[in-house]
């Protein structure tokens, strides 16, 4: 009987493509998260590589939450032969359905455009997966409530509230030999306006912890002040504000914060448009959770907090085009958050050349994405095969994130009863991961490691 091992197939050296393969005795294989690589071309190419093991040998998948970098590879895995259960919470299952359907549609659109305009280096551009693959993947979902144990061969699984987005979890696996492995997934913040903070960590022998903001500190008061000033000065010069936003959770949080600023008189009462069909579908899941008094939500959250009467929905493509060049100052919230696809690209193409306009970057932007290029001072941006000049004002608001910052992550780690034998720092760009590893070692005194991509370690 062979021993247990862990292989880091993604989410190492990057914040995308999270996949951690756990091999247990008796040929039990678990995949923790099944994310899509995004950003730099060399990362995106990894989505097309042959999976390093036959997917049919994977017994089950555990999804921490419904963001594309954690669930977006699942249809490709199923296409290659995976046929086991996918354990996740009911809310994550709902949101995953929305995210994967939209992902397949965007991939099909991208392939069609590449073929129509000759952008592909191949004779025929094809999507990584299609809607039929998504349907087959969604049939594998096996929802489990937070706190409920699920018996697997070789381990017991339990999901705990992570407070990152609705349905998000950190994963506890109690192996048959008595050891406990914990995967943090993406940790939320104690100050998320809609969700309760992550459940405390009590025990782990082996720990995987994310490091997205492992070298940063969130300052909410400064973030809100910068947001209010950017919106106000843009309106004063007759411009509009474009906010690329992740469709799941970020759109809701932005609306919540805009309402706070409007009610306090800190920003003008501009029209606010949500131009994201996926964002509107995800909002409906949040509204259902609010009406059901979901235990993940903070006390007192109401439907008006994320669906106020002054927000206008743009559903059709024709409606979307009406705000490409707004006649009057307004705020446009559109997906995707990293500007890697979706309707936001059309708005960027029309608004970036206009110095009256402002683009607010309100979340983490991975290397190689258009949002990161804007944050880093790009003077032009390639969109739909054309280079577009950047004359609009670009404002980076990293404190808007719903990830724990470095202090928040260390506070969560500090609740444990005794140090793990080893802590693997994952899901972060190199500097962030190394900085968090150093703090864990120096401040907590733990043995911590930043693993290498595709590295396999024994447990």
């Amino acid at each position: 009987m062979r021993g247990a091992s862990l292989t880091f197939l993604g989410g190492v050296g990057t914040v995308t493509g999270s996949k951690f393969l756990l091999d247990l005795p008796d040929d039990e294989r678990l995949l923790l998260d099944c994310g899509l690589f995004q950003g730099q071309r060399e990362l995106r190419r990894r989505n097309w590589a042959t999976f390093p093991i036959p997917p049919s040998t994977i017994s089950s998948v555990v999804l921490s939450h419904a963001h594309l970098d954690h669930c977006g590879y699942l249809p490709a895995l199923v296409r290659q032969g995976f046929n086991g259960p996918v354990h996740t919470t009911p809310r994550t299952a709902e949101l995953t359905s929305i995210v994967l359907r939209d992902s397949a549609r965007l991939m099909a659109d991208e392939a069609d455009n590449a073929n129509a305009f000759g952008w592909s280096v191949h004779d025929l551009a094809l999507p990584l997966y299609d809607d039929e693959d998504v349907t087959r993947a969604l049939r594998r979902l096996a929802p489990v409530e937070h706190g409920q144990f699920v018996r697997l061969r070789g381990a017991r699984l339990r999901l705990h509230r992570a407070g990152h987005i609705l349905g998000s979890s950190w994963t506890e696996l109690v192996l048959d030999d008595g050891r406990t492995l914990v995967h943090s997934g993406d940790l939320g913040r104690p100050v998320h306006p809609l969700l309760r903070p992550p459940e405390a960590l009590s025990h782990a022998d082996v720990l995987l912890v994310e490091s997205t903001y492992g070298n940063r500190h969130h300052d909410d008061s400064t973030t809100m002040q910068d947001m209010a000033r950017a919106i106000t000065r843009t309106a004063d010069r007759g411009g509009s504000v474009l906010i690329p936003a992740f469709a799941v959770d970020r759109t809701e949080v932005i609306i919540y914060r805009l309402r706070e600023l409007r009610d306090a008189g800190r920003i003008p009462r501009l029209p606010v448009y949500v131009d994201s069909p996926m964002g509107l579908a995800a909002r409906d899941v949040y509204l259902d959770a609010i009406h059901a008094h979901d235990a993940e939500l903070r006390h007192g959250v109401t439907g008006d907090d994320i669906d106020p009467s002054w927000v206008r929905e743009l559903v059709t493509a024709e409606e979307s085009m009406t705000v490409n060049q707004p006649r009057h100052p307004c705020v446009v919230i559109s997906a995707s958050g990293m500007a890697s696809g979706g309707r936001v690209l059309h708005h960027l193409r029309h608004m970036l050349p206009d110095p009256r306009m402002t683009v607010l970057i309100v979340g983490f932007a991975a290397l190689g994405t258009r949002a990161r290029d804007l944050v880093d001072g790009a003077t032009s941006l390639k969109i739909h095969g054309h280079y577009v000049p950047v004359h609009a004002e670009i404002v980076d608001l990293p404190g808007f994130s719903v990830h724990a910052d470095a202090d928040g992550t260390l506070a969560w780690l500090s609740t444990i009863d005794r140090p793990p034998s080893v802590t693997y720092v994952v899901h972060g760009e190199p500097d962030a991961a190394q900085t968090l590893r150093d703090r864990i070692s120096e401040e907590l005194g733990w043995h911590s490691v930043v693993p290498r991509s595709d590295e396999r370690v024994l447990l």
Side-chain angles (χ1 to χ4, degrees):
M1 182 174 68
R2 58 186 172 79
S5 67
L6 185 64
T7 308
F8 302 92
L9 300 178
V12 176
T14 174
V15 298
T16 69
S18 284
K19 302 181 197 72
F20 309 105
L21 181 68
L22 179 62
D23 277 286
L24 297 175
D26 300 323
D27 296 322
E28 176 78 355
R29 276 179 161 165
L30 308 178
L31 187 64
L32 304 178
D33 276 345
C34 193
L36 202 66
F37 285 105
Q38 300 168 287
Q40 294 171 301
R41 181 175 297 177
E42 56 267 30
L43 285 175
R44 288 184 278 118
R45 284 175 176 165
R46 294 186 64 180
N47 294 322
W48 292 89
T50 301
F51 203 74
I53 62 167
S56 60
T57 66
I58 299 173
S59 307
S60 57
V61 172
V62 181
L63 294 183
S64 64
H65 65 288
H67 277 150
L68 204 61
D69 55 330
H70 292 261
C71 73
Y73 189 77
L74 187 60
L77 195 74
V78 170
R79 189 175 204 171
Q80 297 173 68
F82 170 71
N83 61 0
V86 179
H87 302 290
T88 194
T89 63
R91 293 298 183 189
T92 295
E94 288 182 79
L95 293 170
T96 295
S97 175
I98 295 168
V99 168
L100 294 183
R101 293 287 186 202
D102 187 75
S103 176
R105 180 186 60 80
L106 289 177
M107 287 179 179
D109 289 347
E110 186 175 348
D112 289 345
N113 288 333
N115 291 323
F117 298 103
W119 299 337
S120 176
V121 296
H122 305 286
D123 292 336
L124 180 66
L126 297 171
L128 180 65
Y129 52 77
D130 58 26
D131 200 60
E132 290 185 10
D133 297 317
V134 172
T135 296
R136 287 192 290 270
L138 295 177
R139 291 183 186 138
R140 311 311 310 167
L141 294 176
V144 54
E145 297 286 353
H146 282 132
Q148 177 184 336
F149 270 113
V150 176
R151 180 65 204 176
L152 309 175
R153 196 174 66 206
R156 289 189 302 155
L157 164 71
R158 184 164 58 170
L159 301 177
H160 298 264
R161 191 182 68 248
H164 173 58
I165 67 172
L166 190 64
S168 61
S169 309
W170 59 265
T171 300
E172 172 192 8
L173 283 165
V174 182
L175 310 187
D176 282 354
D177 64 12
R179 290 178 297 170
T180 298
L181 181 145
V182 168
H183 171 222
S184 73
D186 282 358
L187 290 172
R189 302 175 59 189
V191 294
H192 193 296
L194 305 176
L195 302 179
R196 294 169 62 194
E199 287 185 62
L201 172 65
S202 61
H203 176 73
D205 295 297
V206 178
L207 175 63
L208 281 71
V209 63
E210 69 129 328
S211 57
T212 309
Y213 284 90
N215 58 350
R216 300 197 196 177
H217 168 70
H218 297 322
D219 185 334
D220 288 332
S221 61
T222 299
T223 297
M224 293 293 283
Q225 182 181 75
D226 290 346
M227 185 180 195
R229 288 175 174 174
I231 293 173
T232 300
R233 67 175 172 265
T234 304
D236 287 346
R237 62 177 178 250
S240 293
V241 176
L242 175 63
I243 307 179
F246 297 109
V248 178
D249 190 85
R250 193 61 48 84
T251 298
E252 290 78 16
V253 171
I254 290 168
I255 292 172
Y256 185 97
R257 295 305 191 192
L258 288 174
R259 178 173 179 163
E260 285 185 323
L261 294 175
R262 284 168 61 101
D263 289 350
R266 298 175 64 186
I267 59 173
R269 292 177 172 261
L270 304 177
V272 175
Y273 299 95
V274 175
D275 185 27
S276 170
M278 182 170 68
L280 294 172
R283 182 210 55 190
D284 289 343
V285 177
Y286 273 70
L287 288 173
D288 181 69
I290 291 170
H291 297 149
H293 303 289
D294 197 295
E296 291 185 68
L297 296 172
R298 286 188 179 274
H299 178 71
V301 173
T302 70
D304 287 342
D305 288 326
I306 62 172
D307 187 27
S309 59
W310 41 265
V311 169
R312 306 179 190 181
E313 302 173 5
L314 304 179
V315 178
T316 67
E318 291 74 19
E319 290 172 332
S320 175
M321 287 187 285
T322 63
V323 293
N324 277 338
Q325 294 174 306
R327 294 183 179 180
H328 306 287
C330 65
V331 176
V332 180
I333 306 168
S334 186
S336 68
M338 296 191 197
S340 55
R343 291 184 177 183
V344 73
L345 296 184
H346 298 279
H347 302 315
L348 285 169
R349 187 173 175 181
H350 285 88
M351 297 172 72
L352 282 176
D354 190 337
R356 296 174 303 160
M357 306 299 184
T358 294
V359 179
L360 296 185
I361 306 299
V362 294
F364 189 86
L367 279 170
T369 63
R370 293 182 183 89
R372 181 63 165 265
D373 290 343
L374 290 174
V375 169
D376 289 344
T379 57
S380 63
L381 212 61
K382 192 174 184 180
I383 301 174
H384 299 147
H386 301 273
Y387 277 101
V388 178
V390 177
H391 299 305
E393 180 182 359
I394 310 299
V395 178
D396 183 24
L397 299 176
F400 226 100
S401 175
V402 290
H403 282 267
D405 63 7
D407 290 342
T409 302
L410 284 165
W412 182 75
L413 294 175
S414 299
T415 62
I416 202 167
D417 57 3
R418 67 175 186 272
S421 61
V422 60
T423 298
Y424 295 106
V425 182
V426 298
H427 200 273
E429 291 178 355
D431 183 63
Q434 189 62 45
T435 300
L436 184 63
R437 191 218 74 85
D438 292 346
R439 289 192 63 181
I440 291 172
S441 296
E442 294 166 6
E443 297 178 29
L444 300 181
W446 296 3
H447 174 46
S448 54
V449 176
V450 178
R452 296 184 298 273
S453 180
D454 297 320
E455 183 175 12
R456 177 174 175 263
V457 296
L458 299 178
L459 300 185

